Amino acid sequence: MDIANKTVLITGANRGIGQALVEEALRRGAKRVYAGMRSPVPHPDRRVTPLTLDVTSAAQIRRAAGQVDILDVLINNAGIALYDDLSELSVVEQHLAVNLFGPLKVTQAFLPLLTRSRGAIVNNVSMMSLAPLPITPAYAISKAAAFNLTQSLRALLAGRGVRVHAVLTGPTDTDMTRGFEIPKASPPSVARAIFDGVEKGDEDIFPDPASQSIAEGWRTGVVKAMEHQFAAFAPASAATAA
Ligand SMILES: NC(=O)c1ccc[n+]([C@@H]2O[C@H](COP(=O)([O-])OP(=O)(O)OC[C@H]3O[C@@H](n4cnc5c(N)ncnc54)[C@H](OP(=O)(O)O)[C@@H]3O)[C@@H](O)[C@H]2O)c1
């Protein structure tokens, strides 16, 4: 997969990692970049088409899908992270709505286009998909579920030629980690590593120094081997489903 001349859609594109992904897609010569935003703002590059897209809104997802006719790469990047202690069920539900059901619904809406292009889905999850940081447990639950969703989609869509990547991002310097005093990667460096991983065809992408420190252990570990064994059980019907 070469991003040059491709059409890419990025959710949560107005700031943070999403904004850096827009710039990096343009730098690599993308033909068109659909920038999904809750409050769209124009972009100086004419290759960027802003799309109104709150990933929790079925109506906005449907409308956005109607505005796109070709799509090679969908990047589910939009996300929220709130500090919590699991005492409020509504906080868990809020995280699941954005970080789990958001990517699932957006993926379903754009899957016909991605199937046609034999394209790629990139889910920006988190290192916390693998182990929770107990200051944001609701976030970690939603990202663990989103990673598991990514693994299922990967198995189910392989027969249709759609690649599904997980990005196990570590601490990155955005609004999301403001006030959290630890070493952080820059959003542009993370965006570059994400597209490098997509272009190389890496199933799981570790785009920063913190996540890279676990990459080798993950790729050669028992859980990854189990994922590959289980993937063989994907029903043949998944390859032809609409
Ligand atoms: N920063 C990190 O250290 C880190 C680490 C691991 C994973 N990640 C993941 O990377 C992704 C991007 O995070 P970030 O660090 O760039 O965070 P950020 O700067 O806080 O940006 C979050 C983005 O998501 C958008 N968003 C939130 N709720 C949305 C909704 N309902 N519909 C559509 N867009 C919505 C925001 O839009 P508004 O401006 O409208 O709020 C914003 O564009 C997230 O999925 C996050 O979990 C980040």
Side-chain angles (χ1 to χ4, degrees), residues 95-217:
H95 282 87
L96 292 175
V98 180
N99 298 350
L100 174 67
F101 294 116
L104 177 56
K105 290 174 186 172
V106 172
T107 298
Q108 284 170 337
F110 288 96
L111 193 51
L113 296 181
L114 293 165
T115 302
R116 201 178 306 151
S117 64
R118 297 179 77 79
I121 298 165
V122 182
N123 289 341
N124 190 2
V125 289
S126 166
M127 283 178 85
M128 273 193 241
S129 302
L130 305 179
L133 201 59
I135 53 173
T136 52
Y139 173 75
I141 288 168
S142 70
K143 290 295 184 173
F147 182 43
N148 201 278
L149 165 71
T150 306
Q151 292 171 304
S152 284
L153 287 172
R154 181 180 288 156
L156 290 168
L157 300 179
R160 290 195 234 176
V162 178
R163 283 176 174 271
V164 184
H165 306 267
V167 187
L168 290 128
T169 314
T172 306
D173 193 7
T174 67
D175 294 340
M176 193 171 274
T177 55
R178 183 147 303 154
F180 200 48
E181 295 311 326
I182 48 164
K184 298 172 201 172
S186 73
S189 69
V190 167
R192 275 195 302 278
I194 290 174
F195 280 119
D196 284 347
V198 172
E199 292 196 329
K200 278 191 290 178
D202 292 345
E203 283 188 353
D204 301 317
I205 299 169
F206 298 84
D208 58 277
S211 64
Q212 274 155 25
S213 70
I214 62 162
E216 185 59 18

Side-chain angles (χ1 to χ4, degrees), residues 22 26 30-34 42-50:
V22 170
L26 295 172
K31 185 163 64 188
R32 169 110 352 249
V33 178
Y34 290 101
H43 191 284
D45 192 310
R46 286 166 54 188
R47 290 174 292 163
V48 178
T49 303

